[in-house]
């Protein structure tokens, strides 16, 4: 055989062998590999379907609760939401602090001049005690005008009275002191104080007396009797108003002696000098003219 024929025969043999092997491979693929590939395709298909289903379920916007500031979030992708549990704050037990009540300090009062203490804030009220220089008393109130203090009675510590503040000094906190309404004003009573004021002369001799109205009634008339207890000689004067003779040249007359006011009155004239003698003066003051109305009498003794 020629060399060409041999080459052709070899090629044919190789082709036959190739096709024989290819057929076996196809058969092996169909019987062994094809089922595995099919299962893989099925699994992939189911995975894609599940993914599509999950995506379709979350394409609707979801509003998350308790988001500050409030907003609406739209999710198009799968997500995992873990709710945040509230944090409980521990209960705090408070221990009350002790309450301290301070002891109130009562203001104290003293005077620079001996001062009367009365049942009310004014001279029209009865005197029930007095506060002397060097003494102190406790203050518990004041009157609306602020010129009288309501204090513990220095002469009877279980009682209280009103002290005029003219000569008083108060130490301590007075801001918190209560303001008391004064008791009703008592029915005015006439009263006065008389004292010897001096001796004068001008065609005779007379004595001057000082009168102070310490009551609540005004006086308008006077009866004055001066008796020399050594000679038993008496001189009497009846007058409306109050006359003060100043020597031989000047005479002052006052019609009314009001509550709290003072006046000098001159006695009847003696024909002799009563100086050095014991004299007794009886003074009657009346609320009306001509020795009428409400009258009150005082008696004093003195030696001019």
């Amino acid at each position: 055989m020629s060399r060409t024929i041999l080459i052709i025969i070899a090629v044919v043999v190789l082709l036959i062998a190739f096709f024989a092997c290819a057929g076996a491979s196809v058969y092996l693929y169909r019987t062994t590999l094809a089922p595995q590939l099919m299962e893989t395709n099925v699994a992939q298909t189911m995975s894609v379907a599940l993914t599509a289903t999950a995506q379709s379920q979350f394409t609707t916007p979801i509003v998350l609760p308790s988001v500050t500031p409030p907003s609406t979030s739209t999710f198009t992708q799968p997500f995992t939401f873990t709710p945040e549990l509230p944090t409980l704050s521990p209960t705090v037990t408070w221990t009350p602090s002790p309450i301290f009540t301070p002891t109130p300090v009562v203001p104290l009062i003293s005077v620079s001049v001996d001062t009367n203490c009365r049942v009310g804030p004014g001279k029209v009220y009865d005197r029930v005690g007095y506060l002397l220089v060097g003494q102190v008393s406790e203050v518990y109130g004041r009157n609306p005008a602020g010129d009288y203090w309501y204090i513990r009675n220095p002469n009877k510590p279980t009682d209280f009275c009103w002290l005029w503040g003219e000569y008083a000094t108060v130490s301590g906190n007075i801001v918190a002191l209560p303001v008391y309404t004064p008791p009703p004003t008592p029915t005015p009573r006439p009263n006065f104080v008389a004292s010897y004021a001096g001796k004068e002369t001008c065609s005779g001799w007379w004595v001057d007396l000082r009168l102070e109205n310490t009551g609540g009634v005004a006086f308008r008339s006077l009866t004055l009797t001066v008796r020399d207890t050594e000679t038993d000689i008496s001189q009497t004067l009846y007058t409306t108003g109050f006359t003060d003779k100043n020597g031989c040249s000047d005479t002052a007359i006052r019609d009314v002696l009001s509550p709290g006011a003072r006046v000098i009155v001159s006695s009847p004239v003696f024909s002799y000098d009563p100086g050095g003698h014991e004299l007794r003066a009886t003074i009657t003051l009346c609320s009306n003219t001509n020795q009428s109305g409400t009258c009150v009498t005082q008696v004093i003794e003195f030696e001019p």
Side-chain angles (χ1 to χ4, degrees), residues 103-144:
T103 302
V105 178
V106 179
L108 300 178
I109 190 169
S110 60
V111 292
S112 58
V113 175
D114 297 343
T115 306
N116 292 326
C117 204
R118 303 176 181 274
V119 296
K123 292 183 178 181
V124 297
Y125 296 93
D126 293 335
R127 183 182 63 184
V128 292
Y130 46 82
L131 186 65
L132 301 179
V133 175
Q135 291 182 321
V136 294
S137 184
E138 298 173 337
V139 182
Y140 290 92
R142 54 186 171 179
N143 67 330

Side-chain angles (χ1 to χ4, degrees), residues 69 118 131 208 218 258 286 304:
R118 303 176 181 274
L131 186 65
D208 288 334
S258 302
C286 297

Side-chain angles (χ1 to χ4, degrees), residues 162-187:
W162 291 88
L163 186 80
W164 189 30
E166 178 69 16
Y167 306 108
T169 299
V170 180
S171 60
N173 182 16
I174 63 174
V175 176
L177 285 177
V179 177
Y180 291 134
T181 301
T185 303
T187 301

Side-chain angles (χ1 to χ4, degrees), residues 18-139:
F18 170 77
F19 286 113
C21 292
S25 298
V26 170
Y27 176 80
L28 180 60
Y29 171 79
R30 289 182 178 179
T31 57
T32 303
L33 298 179
Q36 296 178 355
L37 180 60
M38 184 177 296
E39 292 176 357
T40 300
N41 292 336
V42 171
Q44 292 177 349
T45 303
M46 293 181 63
S47 176
V48 171
L50 291 175
T51 301
T53 302
Q55 291 177 348
S56 64
Q57 292 178 351
F58 289 93
T59 55
T60 303
I62 299 176
V63 178
L64 296 180
S66 302
V67 178
T68 306
S71 62
T72 303
S73 302
T74 303
F75 296 90
T76 58
Q77 298 296 331
F79 70 98
T80 301
F81 176 75
T82 302
E84 182 179 356
L85 297 178
T87 302
L88 298 178
S89 300
T91 302
V92 179
T93 302
W94 296 98
T95 303
S97 301
I99 299 176
F100 298 96
T101 302
T103 302
V105 178
V106 179
L108 300 178
I109 190 169
S110 60
V111 292
S112 58
V113 175
D114 297 343
T115 306
N116 292 326
C117 204
R118 303 176 181 274
V119 296
K123 292 183 178 181
V124 297
Y125 296 93
D126 293 335
R127 183 182 63 184
V128 292
Y130 46 82
L131 186 65
L132 301 179
V133 175
Q135 291 182 321
V136 294
S137 184
E138 298 173 337
V139 182

Side-chain angles (χ1 to χ4, degrees), residues 147-288:
D147 56 352
Y148 274 82
W149 301 99
Y150 188 64
I151 71 171
R152 189 179 295 278
N153 190 339
N155 305 108
K156 193 175 181 181
T158 57
D159 293 342
F160 298 87
C161 57
W162 291 88
L163 186 80
W164 189 30
E166 178 69 16
Y167 306 108
T169 299
V170 180
S171 60
N173 182 16
I174 63 174
V175 176
L177 285 177
V179 177
Y180 291 134
T181 301
T185 303
T187 301
R189 295 187 301 176
N191 197 16
F192 70 95
V193 175
S195 61
Y196 172 67
K199 182 185 72 169
E200 295 190 58
T201 181
C202 179
S203 63
W205 288 264
W206 66 88
V207 293
D208 288 334
L209 301 178
R210 180 181 295 107
L211 306 179
E212 179 182 0
N213 188 342
T214 58
V217 176
F219 297 112
R220 290 177 173 81
S221 60
L222 164 71
T223 300
L224 173 58
T225 299
V226 179
R227 176 175 175 265
D228 186 337
T229 61
E230 296 183 12
T231 63
D232 200 26
I233 297 176
S234 298
Q235 301 290 343
T236 301
L237 173 69
Y238 301 93
T239 180
T240 292
F242 307 90
T243 302
D244 175 20
K245 294 186 298 183
N246 186 9
C248 299
S249 60
D250 188 17
T251 300
I253 300 176
R254 180 181 293 185
D255 294 332
V256 179
L257 180 60
S258 302
R262 297 178 182 181
V263 68
I264 299 293
V265 296
S266 299
S267 73
V269 177
F270 285 86
S271 60
Y272 64 93
D273 184 359
H277 293 195
E278 190 73 26
L279 303 184
R280 177 180 297 142
T282 302
I283 311 106
T284 301
L285 302 183
C286 297
S287 60
N288 295 336

